[in-house]
Amino acid sequence: MRALRAPLLSLALVAGLMITDAAPAAADDGDGPWQQGRFDASRNPVLSSGLGEIYTGEISTPDEVRATPTITDGKMFVGNHDSGYLQAFDLASGEQLWQAQAPNWVHSEMVHREGSVMVGYGNRTMGEDGIRGTGDSGVLSLDTDTGEVNWQLETAGEVMPTPAVVGDSVYIATGDRHLYEIDPETGEDIERADLGGNVNMSHPAVSDGMLYVGASGRTPNVLTAYDTDADDIAWQREFEETRSMGDVPPAVADGVVVITAPITLPEGEPEDGVHERHMIYAMDAETGELLWDDELGVGPTIENNRSGAPMIDDGTVFVGSPLTEASYAYDLQSGERLWTYHSGAVKGAPVARDGAVFFSTTSGWIHALDEETGEKLGERHLGGALAPSGPVIVDDVLVVGSQDGSVNLTPLAEILDTPLAEGVDVPLSESIEDDASAGTTVLLVALSALVLALLAVVVLQRRRLVDMRGHRHLQ
C-alpha cells in the first residue's frame, strides 16, 4: 500500500504505540563502501547507515561544500572548496572526528577502500598547453580513523572529479586529458588512456567492468567507455557542437549511459539573454550507439557547472537544468519525456526513494516530487546555494552540502510535511519517522484498521443503548 491519508496514518501510529512488547527494528550492517561518485553508476545514493539513529540538523564547516558528502562506515566525510579542508564526522552524533588539509580546491568526494579514503584536489584555472589546473593537483589517501596521510600523488592537471575504486585499483580522470590507474596501497600510477579533452567534474561511472567519463576542451566533447578488465578503450563518441561535457557525471543503468551538455546557439539567434540549448543524450552502454536525445530547452550561459547531472531510478531518468530552471523525467529506454517541473535552477543530480524524487536548487530549495507524475509532494528551504553535486538519502534523512559551508541533515518527514498537513497522499515510509521494518508497517496498518473497527462497534453499541432508553421512556 503506497500511500495513506493523514487521519489513517495517525491511527496507525497510535496503534503502534499500543504494542508495548514490540521490539525495535534491528540495525543492519549498513551499505557497502562508497567507491565512486554518488555511490554507484546510477547516481542515486540511497543508503542504510546500519545505526539505530543518525544525527539531524546542520553541521558547519570552514568553507564552501560543493561535493556530495560521502557516507560510509558510520562516518560522513566532507571536503571544502577554496580552502581544501577535509573533515570526518561521526554520523550518529555529528561530532567532528578529524580535520586534514589538501593542497588545493576539493570538489571530489572521498572514496573509501579498506580503512582509507582517497580524494582528488586541484582548481579549474586553465594553464599552459591546454592543461586545466594551476598550482598543486593530485590525489591524497588518508586513514579513515585519524585523517593521517597515507600517500600523495601529484598530477599535471586537476583532479576535481571523484576517483573510482575498481577491485584493487583506483582510477582518476584529470585536467591533463588522461585517465590514470593508481595502486591504492602505494599511490603509484599508470597512464591508461587519452580522454580527448579535460575532465572537470565528470566523475567516472563504473558499471559491469566499464568506466564512463565525459571530457571537453578545444577538441569535440567526448564520452569515453573504458574496459577496466581489458585495460583498453571500448569506444569513444564525439559530440561536435556541445561544450562542458567534462562538467557532467554520466549516469548508467540497464545498459544505457546518459549525459547532458549545452550547445551554443548560432550568432543572431539568441534573444533576451538566451545563448545556449541544453541537450540530453542516451547511448548504448556496450557500443556507444546513440539511442535517443532531446532538447531540454534554452537559456543563458551558466558560469560554472554549466549542465545538469542525470540520475536513473527504476527505468526513469531524472535531471535538472540550470539553463531552463526546470526539472525533468524521461523514460530510460524510449526517451519519452514524462513530465517537467519548474523547480528553479538545478545543477546536481537528484535522489529518489519510495516514489519521491528530491531535487536541490542553487537558491537553497529542496523540492520533493512524485516520480511518476512530477506533482509536488513537499518542499523545504535550506538556504545558501546548495552544492552542485546533489543530495543523498541515509536512512530517513536527506543529506546535502551548501556553498554557505554547511551540511544539512534533514528528516524526510520535514520535507514532506506540507502534503501531509494538506491531506495529500504521501509514501508511507516517508511519513513514519521511526525506522520500522516493512513487516512492522503492515502490522501497524492492520492494527489501525482493527482500532477503527472497534470504534465502529462502540458507536453502534451506544446507539443501541440510546434507542432502548428512548423506547422505555415511550412505554
Side-chain angles (χ1 to χ4, degrees):
M1 184 162 137
R2 183 180 171 189
L4 292 176
R5 293 285 180 183
L8 180 56
L9 175 62
S10 299
L11 283 170
L13 291 174
V14 171
L17 293 174
M18 296 169 59
I19 311 173
T20 56
D21 295 330
D28 58 27
D29 295 329
D31 286 287
W34 190 294
Q35 296 195 323
Q36 61 177 300
R38 292 185 60 78
F39 190 72
D40 66 18
S42 74
R43 311 304 194 185
N44 187 33
V46 178
L47 311 174
S48 169
S49 68
L51 305 171
E53 186 176 354
I54 69 172
Y55 176 85
T56 58
E58 183 178 299
I59 293 177
S60 296
T61 74
D63 195 4
E64 295 181 22
V65 178
R66 297 198 178 185
T68 300
T70 296
I71 310 291
T72 188
D73 194 28
K75 302 180 182 69
M76 179 174 71
F77 300 91
V78 181
N80 289 133
H81 169 57
D82 280 337
S83 62
Y85 287 126
L86 304 166
Q87 295 122 109
F89 298 91
D90 183 273
L91 190 58
S93 67
E95 176 188 1
Q96 182 174 304
L97 302 175
W98 52 257
Q99 179 170 296
Q101 177 75 60
N104 209 330
W105 294 5
V106 173
H107 283 238
S108 159
E109 300 159 26
M110 290 185 245
V111 292
H112 183 274
R113 182 186 181 275
E114 296 182 1
S116 65
V117 287
M118 287 155 283
V119 61
Y121 60 88
N123 63 43
R124 63 171 173 261
T125 306
M126 189 64 74
E128 298 179 356
D129 300 324
I131 293 177
R132 185 177 293 275
T134 57
D136 295 318
S137 298
V139 181
L140 281 174
S141 170
L142 304 101
D143 185 279
T144 56
D145 293 326
T146 66
E148 295 181 2
V149 175
N150 298 320
W151 51 258
Q152 180 175 351
L153 170 69
E154 296 182 358
T155 57
E158 44 79 9
V159 188
M160 293 171 68
T162 300
V165 179
V166 184
D168 293 327
S169 297
V170 177
Y171 290 85
I172 59 169
T174 71
D176 60 31
R177 304 184 293 272
H178 285 87
L179 179 72
Y180 294 86
E181 183 180 359
I182 303 172
D183 184 322
E185 299 295 332
T186 65
E188 296 180 2
D189 67 301
I190 303 171
E191 180 182 311
R192 283 301 184 190
D194 185 339
L195 298 175
N198 307 115
V199 184
N200 309 328
M201 290 296 295
S202 185
H203 314 307
V206 178
S207 178
D208 296 328
M210 297 283 280
L211 181 150
Y212 305 89
V213 62
S216 53
R218 296 173 184 172
T219 58
N221 284 200
V222 179
L223 181 66
T224 297
Y226 184 83
D227 189 324
T228 59
D229 293 328
D231 288 331
D232 198 8
I233 292 174
W235 54 261
Q236 286 185 308
R237 185 175 188 89
E238 294 187 349
F239 296 82
E240 293 290 342
E241 298 180 306
T242 60
R243 53 185 307 209
S244 302
M245 191 169 280
D247 270 350
V248 186
V252 187
D254 301 327
V256 181
V257 54
V258 181
I259 198 165
T260 70
I263 295 175
T264 301
L265 296 172
E267 290 186 18
E269 187 173 333
E271 296 180 1
D272 299 327
V274 172
H275 298 287
E276 292 189 328
R277 176 182 294 112
H278 199 186
M279 299 294 297
I280 182 170
Y281 304 95
M283 279 75 60
D284 183 287
E286 185 175 352
T287 66
E289 176 189 359
L290 183 65
L291 301 176
W292 55 265
D293 61 14
D294 192 39
E295 178 184 317
L296 298 174
V298 296
T301 300
I302 305 300
E303 183 177 355
N304 301 314
N305 303 102
R306 294 178 174 139
S307 198
M311 178 273 285
I312 303 171
D313 181 51
D314 195 22
T316 303
V317 181
F318 300 96
V319 65
S321 172
L323 281 77
T324 68
E325 299 188 351
S327 298
Y328 307 84
Y330 285 87
D331 182 271
L332 176 63
Q333 300 297 332
S334 70
E336 176 190 0
R337 185 185 294 188
L338 304 177
W339 50 257
T340 302
Y341 179 85
H342 297 287
S343 56
V346 174
K347 293 184 176 182
V351 63
R353 196 189 82 172
D354 295 342
V357 56
F358 299 81
F359 289 85
S360 58
T361 75
T362 59
S363 58
W365 284 92
I366 297 292
H367 294 283
L369 309 177
D370 185 286
E371 285 194 75
E372 293 183 2
T373 67
E375 294 180 2
K376 184 172 72 173
L377 299 176
E379 60 185 17
R380 186 175 178 88
H381 189 243
L382 299 178
L386 297 181
S389 51
V392 54
I393 292 175
V394 186
D395 300 338
D396 291 315
V397 177
L398 185 137
V399 182
V400 64
S402 173
Q403 291 178 220
D404 67 6
S406 65
V407 178
N408 294 278
L409 297 93
T410 307
L412 296 177
E414 293 184 9
I415 301 171
L416 294 164
D417 60 357
T418 299
L420 185 61
E422 295 174 354
V424 177
D425 290 340
V426 296
L428 176 63
S429 59
E430 308 294 8
S431 305
I432 299 178
E433 292 187 7
D434 60 3
D435 193 22
S437 66
T440 302
T441 300
V442 172
L443 178 60
L444 290 177
V445 173
L447 283 172
S448 67
L450 177 60
V451 170
L452 288 173
L454 290 172
L455 287 173
V457 170
V458 171
V459 170
L460 289 173
Q461 186 65 26
R462 289 186 65 183
R463 287 179 178 174
R464 288 183 61 189
L465 289 173
V466 170
D467 290 342
M468 289 175 65
R469 288 172 183 168
H471 181 67
R472 289 171 183 169
H473 179 72
L474 290 174
Q475 287 181 331

